[in-house]
Amino acid sequence: MNNLAKTYLACRNKITNKIWHVVHMPAKGHKKGDILISYFTEPFTLFPWKPFPNYHSMYWECFQIASLFRERGYSVDIINSKDHTFIPRKHYKACIDAEDDLERLSKYLSKDCKKIFYVLISYWEAYNEAEQKRLNGLEKRRGALLMPRRRVRPSKSAYLADYLVGFGNRTVFDTFRKFNKPVFLIKASEVVQYNFPENKDWEKACKHFLWIGGGGAVLKGLDLVLEAFAGLPSLHLHVCGPIYGEKDFTDEYKKELEETPNVHVYGRLDVGGEKFAEILEKCASVIYPSGGDGTAGAIIQAMHAGLVPIITPETGIQENAGYILIENPTTESVRQAVLNFAIMQPNVIKSKSRSIWQYARSFYTKENFLKSYAKFIDEILKL
């Protein structure tokens, strides 16, 4: 489509999204059928001169999934997975659900419609249990009872689906094992690519660590990291993320966040911006003892900058990526991992950094996302 057609479609989608809670992408060439995607509608309402939001890759990815079907001759309807009002009226060839909408939608789908659950995080039961376990651990350590921030609704989508496809590693995929359905791996994409930091001061950078994540500070291990760095005055922690949206957390960790000289808090930053680039230049490692993810987009971004991940298996990063593993993290194990990294020789850290950067460039890319999803459509769905 040219820019005029794209502009018209964006305008139309803004209207249909507001009134009927659905947006549309027309088939290219001769139409073979219709596809329904329950994920995000926002990317389809953007004018062609507006870039996708760069705080997460999922907006670009959602648009590209629809585009892959369009290129194959399918007309695509897209609804928001959190808006449970749309009623399917068409004979859809396939339906993709990214959250918990498949049970509701299935009542309106034809028997021959191929139902796909798009795996973005570990199975909801395991995910919720992981967050509650972290909250219980925090209450035991500090006597503070915080709200769950990432709890997801119970869902039968994985059970009802004919196919499971999405992000993760063995740890994430194992949470779906009881369904006896293999998960087809999609390689997660990056938002921004960076050149390798060849001239970084590695001796200095090994004393600086990045924590970057979205909502759910306790599930993502920020509590453990703050407690660890509070006892390490010679090492620096740089915190990026929307943590001030979780007042109970920031109140509980006020001292660590605001009164600890070696902890630097920035909030959510533009990963393509100058300020974030300055932080990346300071750091040699990203510390992220998460209890639940699919494939952590924040860690992919850090890997593309050459930061060595100190992470848990639950982040969903591939096991052969070369990261430093923390299993069953505690404040003490996080502290020890950070200390061990800080005393590595600068040339060793630079070598590990280059390996991480090369892995990210060869695995977690937009090109590989498109290739892996196209393979799923062509070889698994056979559409």
Side-chain angles (χ1 to χ4, degrees):
M1 289 185 287
N2 59 33
N3 280 345
L4 182 61
K6 290 178 181 177
T7 301
Y8 167 77
L9 187 58
C11 289
R12 180 182 170 184
N13 280 337
K14 285 179 183 291
I15 296 170
T16 60
N17 191 37
K18 188 174 183 63
I19 299 175
W20 295 293
H21 310 281
V22 62
V23 296
H24 182 73
M25 181 176 279
K28 182 178 180 180
H30 177 71
K31 180 180 172 180
K32 297 179 181 177
D34 294 285
I35 305 293
L36 178 62
I37 299 175
S38 177
Y39 196 6
F40 287 112
T41 55
E42 292 87 344
F44 304 89
T45 63
L46 294 174
F47 293 119
W49 57 87
K50 289 282 188 180
F52 293 105
N54 69 1
Y55 49 82
H56 206 289
S57 61
M58 58 191 175
Y59 298 98
W60 177 88
E61 290 166 351
C62 181
F63 189 89
Q64 296 306 320
I65 293 169
S67 298
L68 287 169
F69 282 107
R70 176 184 184 273
E71 291 292 323
R72 285 156 176 76
Y74 291 93
S75 178
V76 187
D77 291 332
I78 307 98
I79 61 177
N80 196 302
S81 59
K82 296 187 183 301
D83 181 355
H84 305 290
T85 58
F86 175 81
I87 304 298
R89 307 288 185 189
K90 299 178 183 177
H91 185 100
Y92 291 103
K93 295 282 189 180
C95 174
I96 301 171
D97 175 35
E99 202 161 317
D100 61 1
D101 214 14
L102 203 52
E103 183 178 6
R104 182 187 69 86
L105 294 172
S106 292
K107 294 181 289 187
Y108 307 99
L109 300 174
S110 59
K111 289 185 178 180
D112 61 345
C113 178
K114 297 182 178 183
K115 297 185 289 294
I116 302 110
F117 179 57
Y118 191 23
V119 174
L120 301 177
I121 57 173
S122 52
Y123 181 57
W124 71 266
E125 206 168 41
Y127 194 77
N128 288 348
E129 286 176 359
E131 183 176 37
Q132 192 58 53
K133 181 179 178 182
R134 292 294 184 92
L135 291 168
N136 292 344
L138 173 57
E139 184 181 14
K140 186 175 181 180
R141 292 194 314 274
R142 297 173 67 114
L145 182 60
L146 271 59
M147 291 174 57
R149 297 286 180 173
R150 296 303 295 261
R151 186 166 291 170
V152 296
R153 288 160 42 117
S155 168
K156 291 185 178 180
S157 290
Y159 169 74
L160 294 169
D162 301 307
Y163 306 92
L164 304 182
V165 57
F167 305 136
N169 58 10
R170 285 196 300 270
T171 299
V172 174
F173 292 170
D174 278 351
T175 66
F176 293 90
R177 182 182 294 176
K178 67 179 181 179
F179 299 108
N180 198 28
K181 301 172 185 176
V183 184
F184 186 91
L185 173 66
I186 299 297
K187 297 177 180 180
S189 69
E190 86 290 5
V191 176
V192 180
Q193 287 195 358
Y194 312 98
N195 294 326
F196 181 73
E198 197 70 53
N199 299 317
K200 181 179 287 190
D201 185 341
W202 298 96
E203 187 171 3
K204 186 177 180 180
C206 70
K207 304 293 192 292
H208 289 258
F209 298 77
L210 172 67
W211 181 95
I212 179 172
V218 176
L219 177 64
K220 308 300 183 179
L222 181 56
D223 56 328
L224 300 175
V225 175
L226 289 172
E227 291 171 19
F229 275 85
L232 300 172
S234 64
L235 303 182
H236 291 264
L237 174 67
H238 302 266
V239 179
C240 295
I243 63 168
Y244 285 106
E246 302 177 23
K247 190 174 185 303
D248 56 349
F249 180 85
T250 54
D251 285 349
E252 175 62 28
Y253 284 91
K254 181 179 176 66
K255 181 178 180 181
E256 289 85 351
L257 290 167
E258 299 180 10
E259 303 172 24
T260 306
N262 61 318
V263 174
H264 316 278
V265 183
Y266 306 91
R268 174 175 273 168
L269 293 178
D270 177 358
V271 298
E274 291 183 9
K275 186 62 180 178
F276 192 65
E278 291 173 9
I279 297 169
L280 293 175
E281 185 63 26
K282 290 179 181 178
C283 299
S285 175
V286 56
I287 174 79
Y288 189 71
S290 175
D293 275 286
T295 296
I299 302 308
I300 289 174
Q301 277 309 125
M303 291 170 67
H304 270 277
L307 269 60
V308 179
I310 302 175
I311 56 177
T312 49
E314 289 80 7
T315 57
I317 301 298
Q318 295 301 301
E319 289 82 0
N320 64 345
Y323 53 79
I324 296 171
L325 178 65
I326 302 180
E327 293 190 272
N328 302 314
T330 62
T331 300
E332 185 49 46
S333 66
V334 170
R335 180 182 293 124
Q336 193 57 56
V338 166
L339 284 169
N340 291 344
F341 184 86
I343 61 173
M344 287 184 184
Q345 292 297 314
N347 62 318
V348 173
I349 292 177
K350 183 176 182 179
S351 176
K352 290 179 74 67
S353 171
R354 189 183 298 278
S355 295
I356 289 292
W357 179 81
Q358 289 172 337
Y359 187 93
R361 280 288 185 108
S362 66
F363 196 91
Y364 293 122
T365 65
K366 289 182 170 69
E367 180 183 14
N368 282 341
F369 172 87
L370 292 171
K371 285 181 179 178
S372 56
Y373 215 103
K375 184 177 181 180
F376 171 71
I377 294 172
D378 296 337
E379 299 182 14
I380 306 298
L381 288 185
K382 297 182 180 179
L383 289 178

